[in-house]
Amino acid sequence: MESGDGLIVRLRTTRGVASTAQIRLLAGAAHRFGNGIIELTRRGNLQLRGITPGTLPDLQAELCRAGLAEASREAERPASLLVCPLSGLDPRCPPLERVADGLEEVLSSLIAPRLSDKFVVCLSGGSDLLERVSADVRITLRHEHPGLAELAVAGDRRERELRLGQCRVGSLPLVLHALLQQVLEQTPGQRLRVRDAVRARGESSLRAALAPLLEMPARGGRAEEMAGTGTPPWRARCVGFNSGVSSWLGLVLPFGSGLSDDWSAIAELAERFGSGEVRLTPARAVLIVGVGAADRERGAAFAEARGFGVRQQPPRLELIACSGAPACRSAQGETRRLASSLGAIVGAGIRSGSTLHVSGCEKGCAWGGPADITLVHAADGYRLGFGTDVAQTSETAPLSLDSVRARVARSFGAPPP
Ligand code: SF4
């Protein structure tokens, strides 16, 4: 994919798990073939930035040797399965690995090459960790309902999910296969996402086709029709030291991005204090698996000295920003310091869990959806939107930075005493 700082090369690690050897290799490759930046994506994958057409073939060869890429597009796994990275760590998450094996088999089957590159199936253990991922298919297992899986698909509009019902966990591969066939029948010749098929076919027709395979089909998707759907997701613990089935140290990468040296430090940390396994999350955090209680303080000090966050912050306002200037040639301005300074203006007037997105240009690489506050750099000033995405925000009138600050403070600043 092309961006203002060159090509972006996305990798698909095996279910979001990377070894320290792979991370060291990526750190070296990012430095030699790109601009040294490695980002954690919103889907818990890694991407290298600043690759040039001249360096791409050597990079691809190196990634293939390390098992991080396939030699051809046809051989690449075409659809991704995003499995909750807390499976096997947090006892609140049911074990997901065997379920994931069955789903992956379906996704690698004959029908998969027609799926869009963006197609994603989320397999959740009931936490809030994968909630922000815009999934084509969402499958949720919960400890409270052993043997059952909840099934939902992307609705016809963004941010809207269509609940299909529950099925036996053992039937999931069959149900997923049937669902994908329904999708494929609707839009021949396209690289598919579920949303397109729901639009083309209609919700009720899709429900009716799948109902015979479900234990408890949801009629119209109302929450009360499926046991468990009223259950709020449990809060995932991704930051700091945690113990459960195993123990882990979670590190937050500022803006989900790090340079080669940062990633080498992550590998060193995992080797010195953990088991050598690193899990990637869609929440801009990496989990260093196997850090024992005896090493928690030393591991945390090592991470903090290198600028990683290890303290849980209250989830009030999430700051999102692309690389911006000077890293990206398309950028009309700096993004990350600006996001932090605007975030400091925002006070008690914003609800917890809000997002502030600063984009260096109209492309909006860092975040595709609406944010509570969106700021876009443009050649003639700043564009500001509340509850809008980058495209909608770009259509507003240009403002000075002082006006932006004043409007943000007026809308979301602390109320007067
Ligand atoms: S959104 Fe940001 S990273 Fe993407 S092209 Fe624009 S300035 Fe570059």
Side-chain angles (χ1 to χ4, degrees), residues 353-386:
S354 297
T355 43
L356 186 161
H357 177 197
V358 177
S359 185
C361 77
E362 293 181 6
K363 198 162 178 195
C365 296
W367 181 243
D372 295 274
I373 304 171
T374 299
L375 184 72
V376 183
H377 280 283
D380 54 356
Y382 298 86
R383 312 294 169 111
L384 178 68
F386 297 144

mmCIF file of all heavy atoms in Angstrom, residues 353-386:
data_model
loop_
_atom_site.group_PDB
_atom_site.id
_atom_site.type_symbol
_atom_site.label_atom_id
_atom_site.label_comp_id
_atom_site.label_asym_id
_atom_site.label_seq_id
_atom_site.Cartn_x
_atom_site.Cartn_y
_atom_site.Cartn_z
ATOM 1 N N GLY A 353 -13.776 7.053 27.402
ATOM 2 C CA GLY A 353 -13.694 6.171 26.239
ATOM 3 C C GLY A 353 -13.786 6.914 24.921
ATOM 4 O O GLY A 353 -13.947 6.307 23.867
ATOM 5 N N SER A 354 -13.650 8.241 24.947
ATOM 6 C CA SER A 354 -13.729 9.025 23.705
ATOM 7 C C SER A 354 -12.409 8.958 22.942
ATOM 8 O O SER A 354 -11.385 8.530 23.465
ATOM 9 C CB SER A 354 -14.052 10.484 24.033
ATOM 10 O OG SER A 354 -15.320 10.561 24.640
ATOM 11 N N THR A 355 -12.467 9.416 21.679
ATOM 12 C CA THR A 355 -11.279 9.376 20.824
ATOM 13 C C THR A 355 -10.989 10.757 20.252
ATOM 14 O O THR A 355 -11.905 11.507 19.902
ATOM 15 C CB THR A 355 -11.483 8.403 19.642
ATOM 16 O OG1 THR A 355 -12.799 8.599 19.125
ATOM 17 C CG2 THR A 355 -11.331 6.969 20.055
ATOM 18 N N LEU A 356 -9.714 11.068 20.148
ATOM 19 C CA LEU A 356 -9.261 12.301 19.504
ATOM 20 C C LEU A 356 -8.279 11.883 18.414
ATOM 21 O O LEU A 356 -7.281 11.229 18.690
ATOM 22 C CB LEU A 356 -8.569 13.203 20.537
ATOM 23 C CG LEU A 356 -8.134 14.594 20.106
ATOM 24 C CD1 LEU A 356 -7.924 15.481 21.324
ATOM 25 C CD2 LEU A 356 -6.873 14.620 19.257
ATOM 26 N N HIS A 357 -8.593 12.215 17.179
ATOM 27 C CA HIS A 357 -7.778 11.765 16.040
ATOM 28 C C HIS A 357 -7.197 12.980 15.320
ATOM 29 O O HIS A 357 -7.938 13.866 14.895
ATOM 30 C CB HIS A 357 -8.670 10.965 15.083
ATOM 31 C CG HIS A 357 -7.979 10.505 13.842
ATOM 32 N ND1 HIS A 357 -8.658 10.076 12.732
ATOM 33 C CD2 HIS A 357 -6.656 10.405 13.510
ATOM 34 C CE1 HIS A 357 -7.806 9.732 11.783
ATOM 35 N NE2 HIS A 357 -6.582 9.930 12.231
ATOM 36 N N VAL A 358 -5.878 13.010 15.182
ATOM 37 C CA VAL A 358 -5.225 14.046 14.383
ATOM 38 C C VAL A 358 -4.614 13.372 13.155
ATOM 39 O O VAL A 358 -3.818 12.436 13.280
ATOM 40 C CB VAL A 358 -4.138 14.785 15.185
ATOM 41 C CG1 VAL A 358 -3.433 15.811 14.309
ATOM 42 C CG2 VAL A 358 -4.759 15.477 16.407
ATOM 43 N N SER A 359 -4.991 13.851 11.982
ATOM 44 C CA SER A 359 -4.494 13.263 10.737
ATOM 45 C C SER A 359 -3.639 14.283 9.991
ATOM 46 O O SER A 359 -4.022 15.450 9.871
ATOM 47 C CB SER A 359 -5.682 12.832 9.857
ATOM 48 O OG SER A 359 -5.215 12.169 8.711
ATOM 49 N N GLY A 360 -2.519 13.814 9.472
ATOM 50 C CA GLY A 360 -1.598 14.718 8.776
ATOM 51 C C GLY A 360 -2.102 15.164 7.415
ATOM 52 O O GLY A 360 -1.624 16.150 6.863
ATOM 53 N N CYS A 361 -3.067 14.454 6.859
ATOM 54 C CA CYS A 361 -3.669 14.857 5.579
ATOM 55 C C CYS A 361 -5.027 14.178 5.455
ATOM 56 O O CYS A 361 -5.467 13.475 6.375
ATOM 57 C CB CYS A 361 -2.753 14.523 4.399
ATOM 58 S SG CYS A 361 -2.759 12.778 3.943
ATOM 59 N N GLU A 362 -5.655 14.349 4.308
ATOM 60 C CA GLU A 362 -7.026 13.840 4.134
ATOM 61 C C GLU A 362 -7.106 12.324 3.980
ATOM 62 O O GLU A 362 -8.181 11.764 3.858
ATOM 63 C CB GLU A 362 -7.654 14.497 2.904
ATOM 64 C CG GLU A 362 -7.868 15.976 3.089
ATOM 65 C CD GLU A 362 -8.517 16.628 1.884
ATOM 66 O OE1 GLU A 362 -8.892 15.892 0.952
ATOM 67 O OE2 GLU A 362 -8.642 17.856 1.883
ATOM 68 N N LYS A 363 -5.958 11.674 3.954
ATOM 69 C CA LYS A 363 -5.993 10.229 3.739
ATOM 70 C C LYS A 363 -6.477 9.472 4.985
ATOM 71 O O LYS A 363 -7.137 8.443 4.871
ATOM 72 C CB LYS A 363 -4.596 9.744 3.337
ATOM 73 C CG LYS A 363 -4.611 8.403 2.683
ATOM 74 C CD LYS A 363 -3.347 8.136 1.926
ATOM 75 C CE LYS A 363 -3.435 6.721 1.340
ATOM 76 N NZ LYS A 363 -2.186 6.220 0.881
ATOM 77 N N GLY A 364 -6.137 9.958 6.155
ATOM 78 C CA GLY A 364 -6.643 9.328 7.384
ATOM 79 C C GLY A 364 -6.132 7.923 7.628
ATOM 80 O O GLY A 364 -6.905 7.032 7.986
ATOM 81 N N CYS A 365 -4.826 7.719 7.470
ATOM 82 C CA CYS A 365 -4.258 6.358 7.612
ATOM 83 C C CYS A 365 -4.470 5.747 8.995
ATOM 84 O O CYS A 365 -4.609 4.539 9.130
ATOM 85 C CB CYS A 365 -2.744 6.383 7.392
ATOM 86 S SG CYS A 365 -2.230 6.867 5.764
ATOM 87 N N ALA A 366 -4.473 6.570 10.036
ATOM 88 C CA ALA A 366 -4.416 6.008 11.389
ATOM 89 C C ALA A 366 -5.760 5.498 11.885
ATOM 90 O O ALA A 366 -5.815 4.648 12.763
ATOM 91 C CB ALA A 366 -3.870 7.050 12.365
ATOM 92 N N TRP A 367 -6.843 6.033 11.324
ATOM 93 C CA TRP A 367 -8.164 5.666 11.853
ATOM 94 C C TRP A 367 -9.201 5.905 10.774
ATOM 95 O O TRP A 367 -9.294 7.019 10.240
ATOM 96 C CB TRP A 367 -8.463 6.520 13.095
ATOM 97 C CG TRP A 367 -9.771 6.271 13.789
ATOM 98 C CD1 TRP A 367 -10.791 7.157 13.934
ATOM 99 C CD2 TRP A 367 -10.192 5.085 14.469
ATOM 100 N NE1 TRP A 367 -11.814 6.591 14.649
ATOM 101 C CE2 TRP A 367 -11.476 5.320 15.000
ATOM 102 C CE3 TRP A 367 -9.597 3.838 14.681
ATOM 103 C CZ2 TRP A 367 -12.173 4.350 15.709
ATOM 104 C CZ3 TRP A 367 -10.302 2.874 15.400
ATOM 105 C CH2 TRP A 367 -11.568 3.152 15.911
ATOM 106 N N GLY A 368 -9.987 4.872 10.455
ATOM 107 C CA GLY A 368 -10.921 4.990 9.338
ATOM 108 C C GLY A 368 -12.306 5.493 9.729
ATOM 109 O O GLY A 368 -13.080 5.902 8.876
ATOM 110 N N GLY A 369 -12.621 5.478 11.010
ATOM 111 C CA GLY A 369 -13.984 5.811 11.412
ATOM 112 C C GLY A 369 -14.105 7.194 12.011
ATOM 113 O O GLY A 369 -13.148 7.960 12.060
ATOM 114 N N PRO A 370 -15.299 7.537 12.477
ATOM 115 C CA PRO A 370 -15.474 8.826 13.145
ATOM 116 C C PRO A 370 -14.781 8.824 14.507
ATOM 117 O O PRO A 370 -14.622 7.772 15.120
ATOM 118 C CB PRO A 370 -16.989 8.958 13.306
ATOM 119 C CG PRO A 370 -17.567 7.616 13.054
ATOM 120 C CD PRO A 370 -16.541 6.753 12.398
ATOM 121 N N ALA A 371 -14.383 10.006 14.962
ATOM 122 C CA ALA A 371 -13.813 10.158 16.302
ATOM 123 C C ALA A 371 -14.600 11.268 16.992
ATOM 124 O O ALA A 371 -15.237 12.097 16.338
ATOM 125 C CB ALA A 371 -12.337 10.521 16.226
ATOM 126 N N ASP A 372 -14.547 11.276 18.304
ATOM 127 C CA ASP A 372 -15.254 12.342 19.031
ATOM 128 C C ASP A 372 -14.694 13.705 18.630
ATOM 129 O O ASP A 372 -15.426 14.683 18.493
ATOM 130 C CB ASP A 372 -15.122 12.116 20.537
ATOM 131 C CG ASP A 372 -15.824 10.833 20.940
ATOM 132 O OD1 ASP A 372 -17.033 10.880 21.179
ATOM 133 O OD2 ASP A 372 -15.174 9.776 20.929
ATOM 134 N N ILE A 373 -13.373 13.762 18.457
ATOM 135 C CA ILE A 373 -12.742 14.985 17.948
ATOM 136 C C ILE A 373 -11.807 14.561 16.818
ATOM 137 O O ILE A 373 -10.940 13.715 17.007
ATOM 138 C CB ILE A 373 -11.908 15.685 19.049
ATOM 139 C CG1 ILE A 373 -12.779 15.968 20.280
ATOM 140 C CG2 ILE A 373 -11.276 16.965 18.518
ATOM 141 C CD1 ILE A 373 -11.979 16.448 21.495
ATOM 142 N N THR A 374 -12.012 15.132 15.629
ATOM 143 C CA THR A 374 -11.122 14.843 14.507
ATOM 144 C C THR A 374 -10.507 16.147 14.025
ATOM 145 O O THR A 374 -11.220 17.147 13.814
ATOM 146 C CB THR A 374 -11.892 14.188 13.340
ATOM 147 O OG1 THR A 374 -12.446 12.952 13.789
ATOM 148 C CG2 THR A 374 -10.987 13.911 12.152
ATOM 149 N N LEU A 375 -9.206 16.151 13.867
ATOM 150 C CA LEU A 375 -8.506 17.329 13.346
ATOM 151 C C LEU A 375 -7.691 16.887 12.143
ATOM 152 O O LEU A 375 -6.930 15.918 12.223
ATOM 153 C CB LEU A 375 -7.577 17.915 14.422
ATOM 154 C CG LEU A 375 -6.871 19.201 13.999
ATOM 155 C CD1 LEU A 375 -7.843 20.364 13.954
ATOM 156 C CD2 LEU A 375 -5.733 19.526 14.955
ATOM 157 N N VAL A 376 -7.861 17.580 11.027
ATOM 158 C CA VAL A 376 -7.143 17.218 9.802
ATOM 159 C C VAL A 376 -6.298 18.407 9.364
ATOM 160 O O VAL A 376 -6.810 19.528 9.247
ATOM 161 C CB VAL A 376 -8.134 16.830 8.671
ATOM 162 C CG1 VAL A 376 -7.377 16.394 7.427
ATOM 163 C CG2 VAL A 376 -9.078 15.726 9.132
ATOM 164 N N HIS A 377 -5.011 18.164 9.125
ATOM 165 C CA HIS A 377 -4.165 19.200 8.559
ATOM 166 C C HIS A 377 -4.521 19.387 7.083
ATOM 167 O O HIS A 377 -4.673 18.411 6.346
ATOM 168 C CB HIS A 377 -2.691 18.757 8.590
ATOM 169 C CG HIS A 377 -2.020 18.932 9.911
ATOM 170 N ND1 HIS A 377 -1.598 20.154 10.360
ATOM 171 C CD2 HIS A 377 -1.661 18.039 10.854
ATOM 172 C CE1 HIS A 377 -0.997 20.001 11.536
ATOM 173 N NE2 HIS A 377 -1.028 18.724 11.862
ATOM 174 N N ALA A 378 -4.626 20.624 6.659
ATOM 175 C CA ALA A 378 -4.848 20.896 5.241
ATOM 176 C C ALA A 378 -3.919 22.045 4.854
ATOM 177 O O ALA A 378 -3.375 22.740 5.724
ATOM 178 C CB ALA A 378 -6.302 21.274 4.991
ATOM 179 N N ALA A 379 -3.740 22.230 3.548
ATOM 180 C CA ALA A 379 -2.804 23.252 3.086
ATOM 181 C C ALA A 379 -3.233 24.640 3.545
ATOM 182 O O ALA A 379 -2.402 25.525 3.796
ATOM 183 C CB ALA A 379 -2.716 23.193 1.561
ATOM 184 N N ASP A 380 -4.551 24.854 3.680
ATOM 185 C CA ASP A 380 -5.033 26.198 4.026
ATOM 186 C C ASP A 380 -5.449 26.322 5.490
ATOM 187 O O ASP A 380 -6.143 27.251 5.866
ATOM 188 C CB ASP A 380 -6.220 26.572 3.118
ATOM 189 C CG ASP A 380 -7.316 25.515 3.168
ATOM 190 O OD1 ASP A 380 -7.108 24.477 3.829
ATOM 191 O OD2 ASP A 380 -8.371 25.722 2.555
ATOM 192 N N GLY A 381 -5.084 25.381 6.338
ATOM 193 C CA GLY A 381 -5.417 25.491 7.760
ATOM 194 C C GLY A 381 -5.806 24.151 8.341
ATOM 195 O O GLY A 381 -5.471 23.107 7.783
ATOM 196 N N TYR A 382 -6.531 24.202 9.450
ATOM 197 C CA TYR A 382 -6.949 22.966 10.126
ATOM 198 C C TYR A 382 -8.438 22.781 9.934
ATOM 199 O O TYR A 382 -9.195 23.748 9.928
ATOM 200 C CB TYR A 382 -6.674 23.076 11.633
ATOM 201 C CG TYR A 382 -5.217 23.247 11.967
ATOM 202 C CD1 TYR A 382 -4.636 24.513 11.987
ATOM 203 C CD2 TYR A 382 -4.419 22.147 12.262
ATOM 204 C CE1 TYR A 382 -3.298 24.680 12.290
ATOM 205 C CE2 TYR A 382 -3.078 22.304 12.568
ATOM 206 C CZ TYR A 382 -2.522 23.573 12.585
ATOM 207 O OH TYR A 382 -1.203 23.727 12.880
ATOM 208 N N ARG A 383 -8.831 21.534 9.770
ATOM 209 C CA ARG A 383 -10.266 21.210 9.693
ATOM 210 C C ARG A 383 -10.626 20.459 10.969
ATOM 211 O O ARG A 383 -9.902 19.532 11.347
ATOM 212 C CB ARG A 383 -10.576 20.339 8.487
ATOM 213 C CG ARG A 383 -9.964 20.846 7.176
ATOM 214 C CD ARG A 383 -10.589 22.144 6.772
ATOM 215 N NE ARG A 383 -9.854 22.773 5.685
ATOM 216 C CZ ARG A 383 -10.326 22.898 4.454
ATOM 217 N NH1 ARG A 383 -11.520 22.429 4.153
ATOM 218 N NH2 ARG A 383 -9.608 23.515 3.521
ATOM 219 N N LEU A 384 -11.744 20.841 11.569
ATOM 220 C CA LEU A 384 -12.120 20.259 12.857
ATOM 221 C C LEU A 384 -13.522 19.678 12.775
ATOM 222 O O LEU A 384 -14.430 20.308 12.235
ATOM 223 C CB LEU A 384 -12.089 21.358 13.933
ATOM 224 C CG LEU A 384 -12.496 20.948 15.350
ATOM 225 C CD1 LEU A 384 -11.464 19.995 15.964
ATOM 226 C CD2 LEU A 384 -12.642 22.193 16.232
ATOM 227 N N GLY A 385 -13.688 18.486 13.300
ATOM 228 C CA GLY A 385 -15.021 17.875 13.332
ATOM 229 C C GLY A 385 -15.261 17.184 14.657
ATOM 230 O O GLY A 385 -14.318 16.674 15.266
ATOM 231 N N PHE A 386 -16.496 17.166 15.099
ATOM 232 C CA PHE A 386 -16.872 16.449 16.316
ATOM 233 C C PHE A 386 -17.807 15.311 15.916
ATOM 234 O O PHE A 386 -18.884 15.551 15.355
ATOM 235 C CB PHE A 386 -17.582 17.382 17.303
ATOM 236 C CG PHE A 386 -16.713 18.525 17.785
ATOM 237 C CD1 PHE A 386 -17.248 19.779 18.018
ATOM 238 C CD2 PHE A 386 -15.350 18.328 18.013
ATOM 239 C CE1 PHE A 386 -16.454 20.833 18.464
ATOM 240 C CE2 PHE A 386 -14.535 19.378 18.463
ATOM 241 C CZ PHE A 386 -15.085 20.636 18.684
#
